[in-house]
Amino acid sequence: MRSIRRVRFTLPALAACAVAAFAAGAAGQPAGDVSAHAKALQARAIVIDTHDDTTQRLLFDKTFDIAKRNPNGNIDIPRMREGGLDALFFSIWVPSTVTGPPAVRKALDLIDAVREAVRTHPDDLVLATTAADIRRAKSEHKIAALMGVEGGHMIDDDLRVLRDYAALGVRYMTLTHFNNNDWADSSTDKPAHNGLTDFGKDVVREMNRLGVIVDISHVSDKTFYDAVAVSQAPVIASHSSARAIAHHVRNMTDDMMRALAKNGGVIQINYESSFLSEAYRVASEKHSGDVVAQLAAMSKKCGGDEACSTLESARINREAMMNGTLPKVSWEAIVDHIDHAVKVAGVDHVGLGSDFDGATMPLGMDDASMLPKLTDALIRKGYSDADIEKILGGNTLRVMEQVEATAARLNAR
Ligand SMILES: [Zn+2]
């Protein structure tokens, strides 16, 4: 999600957009408290997170070293190792208010930052573009780094740019971000195209041919239904939760989840507090005063540095949760959303898309090291090991394989 400048939002939404949580001081037990069963399952499973905004830190934050354990933010190699996170999609995100060639240029800078992080940490990270790459990385005890472009505005209305991104290793594209683009409507903007335009449908077809997963997080409901109608391959919601629990437009309705399941896709549950908790969402949307003023000051202070904005928002929203200005949201809400999505869409269609380093994490899910708590909670809920493995990453691998097979079939024509 992230910060203030990227949205043409009213102030209440700002609180909904913040924050990588500061690790210290949160409620909930440390990940070390999970059962031996959960630890073993976490270690054995291929755990994939389809949305992480750590890329902004790679590009902007000169103090950030992904190889070291950092006192802030949610993601670095030590904490990924500790949490058993085997693969992550680094988000290539440029605010949707930035368009045209500047958006392309910035997207290329972010792609370069990910590729450079991989190049300079060869013992820990490996660039992955296929399901087989992820399986190989796991067997070599490396973390698979993948990339997703978060917002179709970054192709500058040009399929050649989409092809360039694919050639550089991008494996999903979110059709919109917070604003509509020239060919697709966003869930957080006024409808302008009634979903996807004809060119928007061509974008989806070209993504199918290139083996780039269609991501429907952020898009309007109509854009979602258009996308699943056009796409010949399963689609994902890379970071969305259940609207039946928290009525945020960024979340998916039960009907959308059923359509997604029919398409073979996966909803990757987002840990952003306003997507998890209706009480938090309502309170943050009503909020005016301190938090909003602080966020505005933060925006000014950080200028164009998105990593700074994220960390500052994190601090402000975490403080608001801890001092009671905003309702506390527990990490267990993530499990409620997973469970709801499994009941509606089926266990083959649910996964994890944390929004780490780009959202307000619930208390007790302060960083990637705490992921085994989710596995432990699912075991306690009665989920089988096989079903938990699907949720942790198996479903995403299956979608990737289907997307790859569709691309091969379309290119063979
Ligand atoms: Zn997002």
Side-chain angles (χ1 to χ4, degrees):
M1 299 240 344
R2 245 166 293 101
S3 73
I4 197 161
R5 266 154 296 98
R6 64 201 295 202
V7 218
R8 205 195 285 156
F9 264 8
T10 51
L11 291 175
L14 298 176
C17 279
V19 184
F22 279 159
Q29 84 270 29
D33 288 1
V34 304
S35 66
H37 180 179
K39 281 182 193 163
L41 179 52
Q42 191 80 7
R44 183 171 78 240
I46 296 183
V47 182
I48 305 175
D49 184 339
T50 54
H51 197 87
D52 295 272
D53 281 308
T54 315
T55 327
Q56 303 295 329
R57 300 197 80 183
L58 294 175
L59 184 63
F60 287 107
D61 188 348
K62 300 303 170 212
T63 68
F64 178 65
D65 180 353
I66 197 168
K68 294 215 171 86
R69 194 183 184 95
N70 290 260
N72 56 14
N74 311 131
I75 287 277
D76 47 44
I77 289 165
R79 288 184 287 175
M80 284 190 273
R81 296 272 191 210
E82 201 174 306
L85 181 56
D86 298 303
L88 77 168
F89 281 80
F90 284 93
S91 176
I92 305 303
W93 170 76
V94 173
S96 48
T97 47
V98 178
T99 56
V104 177
R105 172 60 206 253
K106 202 160 173 204
L108 291 172
D109 288 345
L110 289 159
I111 290 169
D112 178 73
V114 174
R115 296 181 64 102
E116 282 295 286
V118 170
R119 184 181 69 79
T120 54
H121 300 88
D123 294 338
D124 290 302
L125 301 177
V126 61
L127 191 70
T129 59
T130 64
D133 286 348
I134 295 175
R135 292 185 199 282
R136 194 178 313 114
K138 172 82 175 176
S139 71
E140 293 172 358
H141 306 290
K142 290 184 183 176
I143 294 166
L146 298 102
M147 292 180 282
V149 163
E150 190 184 12
H153 61 291
M154 277 172 264
I155 67 167
D156 191 20
D157 303 335
D158 190 339
L159 295 180
R160 292 174 298 185
V161 179
L162 172 62
R163 290 193 281 269
D164 289 341
Y165 291 156
L168 288 168
V170 168
R171 282 301 175 270
Y172 77 67
M173 184 168 79
T174 321
L175 297 178
T176 73
H177 196 252
F178 281 131
N179 295 111
N180 299 337
N181 55 42
D182 291 335
W183 44 270
D185 285 340
S186 165
S187 63
T188 45
D189 202 346
K190 277 209 306 260
H193 309 300
N194 189 31
L196 282 177
T197 67
D198 287 345
F199 177 71
K201 291 172 185 171
D202 285 344
V203 171
V204 168
R205 292 185 191 103
E206 186 66 354
M207 289 170 74
N208 285 166
R209 191 189 67 77
L210 292 166
V212 173
I213 306 169
V214 175
D215 175 19
I216 55 76
S217 282
H218 280 285
V219 307
S220 73
D221 293 7
K222 180 61 165 59
T223 302
F224 162 77
Y225 287 109
D226 285 356
V228 287
V230 173
S231 180
Q232 296 192 46
V235 309
I236 60 168
S238 71
H239 58 309
S240 294
S241 300
R243 210 182 295 175
I245 300 176
H247 308 312
H248 201 293
V249 291
R250 274 281 285 100
N251 285 343
M252 296 184 78
T253 65
D254 289 358
D255 188 68
M256 290 165 80
M257 282 191 215
R258 282 187 282 267
L260 182 80
K262 205 168 154 212
N263 154 278
V266 175
I267 174 171
Q268 318 278 3
I269 300 299
N270 188 321
Y271 312 165
E272 154 64 31
S273 293
S274 64
F275 295 176
L276 293 177
S277 159
E278 180 65 2
Y280 182 97
R281 183 191 73 83
V282 169
S284 64
E285 289 187 3
K286 275 201 192 118
H287 215 279
S288 57
D290 278 3
V291 171
V292 166
Q294 285 178 60
L295 286 169
M298 170 273 291
S299 174
K300 203 171 164 197
K301 178 180 151 192
C302 290
D305 180 343
E306 297 300 339
C308 164
S309 302
T310 299
L311 289 174
E312 278 290 294
S313 310
R315 191 179 56 73
I316 292 164
N317 281 2
R318 173 51 62 102
E319 269 175 20
M321 244 199 260
M322 294 309 287
N323 70 21
T325 313
L326 288 171
K328 290 184 172 63
V329 183
S330 161
W331 66 274
E332 285 154 310
I334 301 167
V335 182
D336 296 340
H337 281 259
I338 292 171
D339 195 47
H340 179 84
V342 167
K343 286 190 174 110
V344 173
V347 75
D348 293 324
H349 304 285
V350 183
L352 306 177
S354 66
D355 219 344
F356 275 143
D357 282 335
T360 307
M361 289 298 121
L363 302 179
M365 187 49 65
D366 301 337
D367 57 43
S369 75
M370 296 189 172
L371 287 169
K373 289 158 76 171
L374 298 178
T375 299
D376 198 44
L378 290 170
I379 292 169
R380 280 187 272 117
K381 256 190 179 323
Y383 280 69
S384 70
D385 284 13
D387 283 351
I388 294 170
E389 286 198 50
K390 286 180 181 179
I391 295 164
L392 292 177
N395 291 331
T396 302
L397 289 171
R398 191 256 309 154
V399 164
M400 290 179 73
E401 282 160 356
Q402 286 181 259
V403 167
E404 290 160 22
T406 301
R409 177 169 59 79
L410 293 172
N411 283 312
R413 272 187 196 164

